[in-house]
Amino acid sequence: MRNSAFSSLTLLLLACCSCAALSDAYRPAGDGSAFPSPWFAPGAARNLFTASADMYGYHVSGLMVVSAMASGGHRVVMMTEFGLKMLDMEFGTGGSFTLHYCMEALDRKVITAMLKKDFRMLTAPATDMAGVKVMSDRRSGETVLKVPVGGQRYYCHLHPQTGKPVSVIRTTALTSKARADFYSSPSGRLDSIRLSHDNRKINLKLSRIDEIQSPFPQ
């Protein structure tokens, strides 16, 4: 009984410490009027990336297409290098989500749930700004948008000049879970994205591919 009580007290203290660490990293700033400039804006051309993933000692590669829809949502499609579709997800405004297709090898609830959360970070912050709070990073001074989605929080760090996300950190109420970092050229062009997890051996790197229109008639 004493061991059980001690364990419960220890977990409670750890939880309190974790909450304090997260809350201390940011402070309220502004009146909530800040609005980001998303990397994948509606009306822009589709974005094609090579995708390289390391998962629990295994390495897989393929292609990923990220497209912004006129409705304000985003479509994320993964495929093999030969064009065989593996995954097709749609992220709508207001936190809505639709899984259009998932190949049998990936069709596991734990996998699709993880990929849903990860890929949402690539398109965060959402264009629907309801419930979003404007914060400031205590160390860097960066403007940070706190976006609540499905019981989790996405902290979107914005570039001071462009307003585009430089990193997105996904957390629960207690600890950080995953992080997406966006890298761009001096001209402001998105070049690559790296996604990593704090408690899982899963890392994803996306490198942009410039599509060149064929000079031959179709």
Side-chain angles (χ1 to χ4, degrees):
M1 181 67 69
R2 290 182 179 179
N3 289 339
S4 177
F6 178 78
S7 298
S8 298
L9 179 59
T10 302
L11 290 174
L12 179 60
L13 290 174
L14 289 174
C16 292
C17 291
S18 298
C19 289
L22 286 174
S23 62
D24 287 346
Y26 307 104
R27 61 186 175 191
D31 57 1
S33 59
F35 197 83
S37 176
W39 285 112
F40 309 109
R46 73 173 189 169
N47 298 267
L48 178 63
F49 299 89
T50 59
S52 176
D54 293 298
M55 299 183 292
Y56 300 106
Y58 293 95
H59 180 80
V60 295
S61 61
L63 300 172
M64 178 181 289
V65 177
V66 182
S67 302
M69 301 183 297
S71 62
H74 294 83
R75 196 79 171 257
V76 178
V77 178
M78 284 190 67
M79 65 189 77
T80 67
E81 295 171 343
F82 299 101
L84 177 64
K85 186 160 65 173
M86 297 188 291
L87 196 67
D88 186 348
M89 294 180 165
E90 180 179 332
F91 300 90
T93 57
S96 63
F97 171 78
T98 303
L99 178 62
H100 291 286
Y101 175 79
C102 181
M103 68 185 303
E104 186 176 355
L106 297 176
D107 195 9
R108 303 291 185 273
K109 187 175 181 179
V110 63
I111 295 177
T112 55
M114 180 192 68
L115 293 176
K116 170 186 173 182
K117 295 172 184 177
D118 286 354
F119 292 163
R120 189 179 290 279
M121 287 199 301
L122 304 183
T123 60
T127 52
D128 183 354
M129 298 294 287
V132 173
K133 295 182 179 180
V134 180
M135 313 290 286
S136 175
D137 187 291
R138 292 183 183 274
R139 291 180 298 177
S140 67
E142 292 176 333
T143 297
V144 180
L145 297 183
K146 180 182 178 182
V147 185
V149 180
Q152 298 197 333
R153 300 172 180 84
Y154 292 74
Y155 290 91
C156 306
H157 292 239
L158 304 181
H159 190 281
Q161 278 76 48
T162 65
K164 293 184 179 297
V166 294
S167 64
V168 178
I169 300 172
R170 189 181 85 238
T171 74
T172 61
L174 300 180
T175 59
S176 60
K177 293 296 184 181
R179 177 188 178 109
D181 291 292
F182 300 82
Y183 300 92
S184 60
S185 63
S187 64
R189 170 186 177 275
L190 178 62
D191 285 337
S192 61
I193 304 172
R194 290 181 181 270
L195 194 152
S196 58
H197 290 75
D198 288 347
N199 56 353
R200 294 181 179 179
K201 297 180 180 179
I202 301 174
N203 295 284
L204 174 67
K205 179 181 179 181
L206 303 176
S207 299
R208 189 188 184 101
I209 300 176
D210 287 327
E211 297 184 83
I212 302 175
Q213 186 175 4
S214 171
F216 302 102
Q218 301 294 322

